Amino acid sequence: MRNKVSLKDIAQKVGVSTAAVSYALNKGKEGKVSDEMAAKIRAAAKELNYQPNQIAKSLKMGRTNTLGLILADVSNPFFSSIARVIEDEAKEHGYTVIFGSSDEKPERSWDLINVLLNRQVDGVIIVPSESSEEQILYLKEQKVPFVLIDRYFPEIPSSFVALDNHRAAYEAVMHLARMGRRRIGMLAYKTNLYHMQERKRGYQEALLDVGLTMSKNWLKEVKYGDIKNGVKNAIDGMLSNGEPIDALFFATNTLAINGLKYIDKLKLKVPDDLAIVSFDEGEAFDFYYCPLTYVRQPVYEIGKGAVQLLLDQIESSNGRIGQIQFDPELIIRKSSGA
Amino acid sequence: MRNKVSLKDIAQKVGVSTAAVSYALNKGKEGKVSDEMAAKIRAAAKELNYQPNQIAKSLKMGRTNTLGLILADVSNPFFSSIARVIEDEAKEHGYTVIFGSSDEKPERSWDLINVLLNRQVDGVIIVPSESSEEQILYLKEQKVPFVLIDRYFPEIPSSFVALDNHRAAYEAVMHLARMGRRRIGMLAYKTNLYHMQERKRGYQEALLDVGLTMSKNWLKEVKYGDIKNGVKNAIDGMLSNGEPIDALFFATNTLAINGLKYIDKLKLKVPDDLAIVSFDEGEAFDFYYCPLTYVRQPVYEIGKGAVQLLLDQIESSNGRIGQIQFDPELIIRKSSGA
DNA sequence: TATAAATAGTTAATCGTTTAAAATACGATT
DNA sequence: AATCGTATTTTAAACGATTAACTATTTATA
C-alpha cells in the first residue's frame, strides 16, 4: 500500500547491490564506497524519496530508538507536562516515545510493560503504581534500562528522579505553623507508595517539631478510585470534631482541586477560616480567589533528568544507576495566610 | 541482553520446528498442529515466559498495531485529555500509541510524520498545524490511513472529527448579546486554520444578526509564539478606544487564561465591567472568582470517534472517509452576566 | 616485476517471525 | 499390496535492513 521504496529499489535503479546502498547512505565518509557512487546513490534515494524502514532496521540492529513512558494518567497536567519535556528531550537525542497510563493500577502497568518490551523499546521511564514492586524487579532481572520518576521504592535500588517529599511536606507544614496555624490537617492518598509516605512523615514530623500534638482525624487518606466522595468525607471529618482544623495541606493537585471545591461549598473562607497549602501547581491555583501557596516540583528538570539517566544506561549499557533528588520550592501566596 | 526467548528456543526445547510453534501459538484451533503437541508447546512457552518479538512480527506482517498521534501540545489539558481517550480506545482494540507535539509548527509536524511513517504506524491521528496542507496531501497520496481532529482543511477531502466551530462561536456571542452586551470583543489566534476562521466567522455573523456593527479593534488576533505579550496588547487595544468592549469572547482556553490574568491585573470586574465567554474547559475556569461560561467540546466523543474512524480505514483498507462534526454545548455560568 | 596494501564493490548470513508448499506418517479403501 | 486421503510437521522463503567476509581491481612499495 505504501512506502514501497526500499534499499532494493535504489540498488536496482543505480545498478549496485543493496549493501552498497546501505553503506553509501549510512557511512558516507568511511570509504566503503567511492564518492561518485555514493553521490549517485544518494541522488537516487532522494529522487525516489526513500525512507528507511525502521522496523527492519530495529530488528537487525536490536535497538528501536524508542523509549517507553508509563504515567499514572496523561490527562493529569502534572504528568502531561512531564510527558512533554520527556518527548522533547528524547527527540533531541533521536528517540521516539511510546506512552501509556496505568491509572495507578498494577495490572494496567504490567500490561503496559509487556506491550512496551514486546515492542523492544530501548528503555522505560515509569511512574510506578502501588504494588508494582515485582514489575520493577522483573525489569532489573531482565536488565531493561529504566528510570522511575515521581516515586520509587527505597528497598529496591534503582535509578530514579524524584522530589525530596519529606522535606517538601515538612516545609509546607512548618510554613503554616509559622503563619500561626495550630490545627493543621493533611489530606493524602491512601497508598503505600513511598512518596506519599514521605509526605505524611514530613507532615507529622513538622507538627512534632513545633510541639503540636496531632489529632487522629487531622490526617485523612482517600482512595484514588473514589476521590470526590472521599475528599468530602475526609474534610467533614477534619472539621466536625471538637478540634476543627484551621489549616489544610493537600498532598496533590487533584486532591486540592476537589478539596477546594468542597470547601467553597461549605462557605469556608480561605485563608481566614482555613489556610491552604497544596502540592504541585496549576492554572487553577492561580485563579482561585485566594491564590494558592504550593510546593513546586521542577517538572522540566525531572523530565530532562529522567531521559538523561535513561540514555546513560542505554548507551553505556552498564547497569549503572543514577538517583536524582530535587529540593522542593515553596511558592508562598495568600492562601496560607501570609 | 534480554528477551532472549524466541520461537527457536521453544522449538528446541520441545523438539519441533519453529513453524510448528508459531502455528500452535497463533492458530490454536485451525488444526495445523495436533492438540497434544499444541499443549506441549504452549506449556513450554509459558515455562520459558515467551514474549513474541513484535518488531519481527511487524516486519513480516506489514502491520505494527501502532497508531501515531500528533498533537499541538501534549501539555495542554485539552489535548492531553484527548490523548488519554485515544490511548484507552486504541488499547481496547489492541493498538499502542506513539505520540508527538508539533507545537503548531509545520516543520515539527513534518518531522513527526516521517518518524511515525518510518516506524510503520498503521495510521495517524493528527491535529494539523497551519500550513500543513501538503503534509495531508502527502498522506493521502501515500494512502496512509489518517484522521484529523480539532481542525481540518475544508478544501482537502479527508476524514476528520471536529466541532461545529462556527455555530459554537455564534451561540457564544449570541448569548452575550442576549445578556445585554453590545460591545463584544473576540480574542483569537492569528492563523488561517479553518477552525479559527470559523470561530471568527461565527462571532462576526452573530454580531451582524443582532444588528451590532463591529468596531475594527474588537476582533484581535495574537500569534501563538507570543501569547503573553500579544494578549496584553490586544486587550489594551480593545479597551483603550472610544468604544471599549463590555464583553469578551476567548477563542481558546490558553487565551482565556492569559487574558483573565491580565484583566485581573487591570482590576476589571467580571462580569460587571466585562462579561466573559471562553472556549474549552478547565479546572481553572471553575476556580475563577466568577465561574466561566464556556463552550464545551466533547473530548471523549472526539477521541473515541477519531480512533473508530481510523481503525475503520485501517481494517477495511478502502480509503473510505468519515467525517464527524459535533454540536457545541454552551455551559452558562456567572461570567457572562447571566 | 612481484607483492603488499588500499579501494570499491558483492555475497550471503542474520535479526525473529509467518506461511505457502513440500514432505512425512498412518490408517482406510480397494 | 498399492493407492488414496487426511492429519501433522518440516522446509524454506520472505519481510527490509546491516555487516562480516570475500573478491576484484588499482595503486604503492620494495
Side-chain angles (χ1 to χ4, degrees):
Chain A
M1 85 172 183
R2 66 163 209 271
N3 220 14
K4 334 166 75 67
V5 187
S6 72
L7 279 192
K8 205 193 279 183
D9 298 305
I10 302 179
Q12 222 136 48
K13 185 176 167 91
V14 182
V16 292
S17 69
T18 62
V21 179
S22 177
Y23 284 128
L25 261 30
N26 294 317
K27 354 229 147 186
K29 281 294 108 196
E30 313 167 29
K32 266 306 248 183
V33 76
S34 71
D35 288 355
E36 41 182 349
M37 193 75 261
K40 227 188 285 183
I41 289 173
R42 274 192 280 268
K46 177 151 286 172
E47 194 187 326
L48 296 177
N49 184 31
Y50 168 70
Q51 299 288 134
N53 181 326
Q54 291 295 341
I55 296 290
K57 193 169 192 156
S58 296
L59 178 60
K60 183 78 228 294
M61 307 281 266
R63 66 201 319 275
T64 52
N65 278 275
T66 302
L67 304 183
L69 173 60
I70 299 181
L71 301 167
D73 180 6
V74 228
S75 70
N76 178 323
F78 172 64
F79 294 118
S80 69
S81 303
I82 289 188
R84 178 61 200 272
V85 176
I86 289 176
E87 179 205 338
D88 287 351
E89 191 67 14
K91 182 202 184 84
E92 195 73 22
H93 294 85
Y95 284 79
T96 307
V97 177
I98 302 185
F99 79 103
S101 307
S102 71
D103 234 349
E104 305 282 8
K105 305 202 183 92
E107 322 85 69
R108 281 196 66 149
S109 160
W110 249 136
D111 256 29
L112 287 168
I113 286 180
N114 280 323
V115 168
L116 296 176
L117 294 190
N118 293 352
R119 285 186 151 69
Q120 315 293 122
V121 295
D122 297 331
V124 219
I125 295 175
I126 304 183
V127 176
S129 50
E130 191 168 20
S131 310
S132 66
E133 288 90 338
E134 49 163 350
Q135 301 173 27
I136 305 308
L137 290 172
Y138 176 72
L139 293 177
K140 285 191 77 165
E141 187 190 304
Q142 299 282 309
K143 301 218 189 304
V144 178
F146 72 96
V147 174
L148 305 184
I149 55 176
D150 192 41
R151 322 145 182 192
Y152 61 94
F153 300 105
E155 71 279 15
I156 306 179
S158 78
S159 291
F160 66 77
V161 182
L163 193 74
D164 183 339
N165 284 293
H166 172 266
R167 192 170 145 193
Y170 185 90
E171 287 184 2
V173 173
M174 269 304 191
H175 168 68
L176 285 169
R178 268 197 300 272
M179 293 298 111
R181 305 294 164 156
R182 287 294 165 264
R183 298 186 308 281
I184 305 172
M186 173 175 185
L187 187 52
Y189 277 128
K190 183 168 206 62
T191 169
N192 293 321
L193 283 167
Y194 189 61
H195 73 309
M196 202 50 73
Q197 295 298 327
E198 283 290 279
R199 291 179 194 182
K200 288 186 286 187
R201 194 167 66 84
Y203 159 78
Q204 291 169 312
E205 212 168 295
L207 287 191
L208 213 70
D209 283 3
V210 290
L212 297 172
T213 25
M214 187 188 114
S215 151
K216 269 283 180 300
N217 33 269
W218 288 356
L219 173 53
K220 297 273 184 183
E221 302 177 330
V222 313
K223 283 197 239 131
Y224 184 77
D226 178 43
I227 297 177
K228 197 152 182 185
N229 231 282
V231 166
K232 183 179 166 312
N233 293 334
I235 292 180
D236 281 345
M238 295 180 187
L239 293 169
S240 66
N241 252 41
E243 313 179 290
I245 54 173
D246 60 5
L248 180 48
F249 172 47
F250 289 107
T252 78
N253 56 356
T254 308
L255 290 173
I257 285 172
N258 283 277
L260 289 173
K261 282 187 183 170
Y262 185 57
I263 285 167
D264 286 351
K265 199 174 284 172
L266 293 177
K267 306 246 188 274
L268 291 176
K269 271 302 179 194
V270 176
D272 298 341
D273 299 333
L274 201 57
I276 302 285
V277 174
S278 176
F279 237 88
D280 310 329
E281 56 198 310
E283 299 296 357
F285 292 178
D286 298 342
F287 273 24
Y288 193 59
Y289 67 88
C290 172
L292 250 57
T293 293
Y294 62 87
V295 175
R296 184 180 169 277
Q297 298 209 50
V299 169
Y300 177 77
E301 288 79 4
I302 292 175
K304 187 162 172 143
V307 174
Q308 285 178 341
L309 285 187
L310 185 57
L311 294 188
D312 225 54
Q313 274 184 65
I314 293 173
E315 272 147 28
S316 73
S317 74
N318 59 7
R320 167 171 36 156
I321 74 178
Q323 311 192 141
I324 304 180
Q325 176 132 259
F326 288 106
D327 284 333
E329 186 186 357
L330 190 67
I331 307 292
I332 296 174
R333 301 195 295 183
K334 296 223 183 83
S335 77
S336 49
Chain B
M1 83 172 183
R2 70 164 206 271
N3 220 15
K4 334 165 76 68
V5 186
S6 71
L7 281 191
K8 206 193 279 184
D9 299 305
I10 301 179
Q12 223 137 47
K13 184 176 167 91
V14 181
V16 292
S17 70
T18 63
V21 179
S22 177
Y23 284 129
L25 261 30
N26 294 316
K27 354 230 150 185
K29 282 294 107 196
E30 313 169 30
K32 275 299 258 182
V33 74
S34 71
D35 288 354
E36 42 182 347
M37 192 76 262
K40 228 187 284 182
I41 290 173
R42 274 191 281 267
K46 178 151 287 173
E47 194 187 326
L48 297 178
N49 184 31
Y50 169 71
Q51 298 289 132
N53 181 326
Q54 292 294 340
I55 295 291
K57 192 168 193 156
S58 295
L59 178 60
K60 184 80 228 295
M61 308 279 267
R63 67 203 317 278
T64 53
N65 278 276
T66 302
L67 304 182
L69 173 60
I70 299 181
L71 301 168
D73 179 6
V74 228
S75 69
N76 178 323
F78 173 64
F79 294 118
S80 69
S81 303
I82 289 189
R84 177 61 200 272
V85 176
I86 289 177
E87 179 205 338
D88 287 350
E89 191 67 13
K91 182 202 184 85
E92 195 74 21
H93 293 86
Y95 284 79
T96 306
V97 177
I98 302 184
F99 80 102
S101 307
S102 71
D103 234 348
E104 304 283 6
K105 304 201 184 94
E107 323 85 67
R108 280 195 67 149
S109 159
W110 250 136
D111 256 30
L112 287 168
I113 286 181
N114 280 322
V115 167
L116 296 177
L117 294 190
N118 293 352
R119 286 186 150 69
Q120 315 294 120
V121 295
D122 296 331
V124 220
I125 295 174
I126 304 182
V127 175
S129 51
E130 192 168 22
S131 310
S132 65
E133 289 90 338
E134 50 164 351
Q135 301 172 25
I136 305 308
L137 290 171
Y138 176 73
L139 293 177
K140 287 191 74 167
E141 187 190 306
Q142 300 281 311
K143 302 219 187 305
V144 178
F146 72 96
V147 173
L148 305 184
I149 56 177
D150 192 40
R151 321 142 183 196
Y152 61 95
F153 300 105
E155 72 278 17
I156 306 179
S158 78
S159 291
F160 66 76
V161 182
L163 193 74
D164 183 340
N165 284 292
H166 172 266
R167 192 170 145 193
Y170 185 90
E171 287 183 2
V173 174
M174 269 304 189
H175 168 69
L176 285 168
R178 267 197 301 273
M179 293 298 110
R181 305 294 163 155
R182 288 294 165 261
R183 298 187 309 280
I184 304 172
M186 172 175 184
L187 186 53
Y189 277 127
K190 184 170 205 63
T191 170
N192 292 320
L193 283 166
Y194 188 61
H195 73 309
M196 203 49 75
Q197 294 298 326
E198 283 290 280
R199 291 180 194 182
K200 287 187 286 186
R201 195 167 66 81
Y203 159 77
Q204 291 169 313
E205 213 168 294
L207 287 191
L208 214 70
D209 283 4
V210 291
L212 296 171
T213 26
M214 188 187 113
S215 150
K216 268 283 179 299
N217 33 271
W218 287 357
L219 173 54
K220 297 274 184 184
E221 302 178 331
V222 313
K223 284 197 237 127
Y224 184 76
D226 178 42
I227 296 178
K228 197 152 183 182
N229 230 281
V231 165
K232 183 179 167 310
N233 293 333
I235 292 179
D236 281 345
M238 295 181 187
L239 292 168
S240 66
N241 252 43
E243 313 180 290
I245 54 172
D246 60 7
L248 180 49
F249 172 47
F250 289 107
T252 77
N253 56 356
T254 308
L255 290 173
I257 285 173
N258 283 278
L260 289 173
K261 283 187 182 170
Y262 185 57
I263 285 168
D264 288 351
K265 199 174 284 172
L266 293 177
K267 306 247 187 273
L268 291 176
K269 271 302 177 197
V270 176
D272 298 340
D273 298 334
L274 201 57
I276 302 286
V277 175
S278 176
F279 237 88
D280 310 329
E281 56 198 309
E283 300 295 357
F285 293 179
D286 298 343
F287 273 23
Y288 193 58
Y289 67 88
C290 172
L292 250 56
T293 293
Y294 62 87
V295 174
R296 184 181 169 276
Q297 298 209 50
V299 168
Y300 177 75
E301 288 79 3
I302 291 176
K304 185 160 172 144
V307 173
Q308 285 177 341
L309 285 186
L310 186 57
L311 294 188
D312 225 53
Q313 274 184 65
I314 293 173
E315 272 147 27
S316 72
S317 75
N318 59 7
R320 166 173 36 156
I321 73 177
Q323 311 192 142
I324 303 179
Q325 176 132 258
F326 288 106
D327 285 333
E329 186 186 358
L330 190 66
I331 307 292
I332 297 174
R333 302 196 295 183
K334 296 223 181 82
S335 77
S336 50

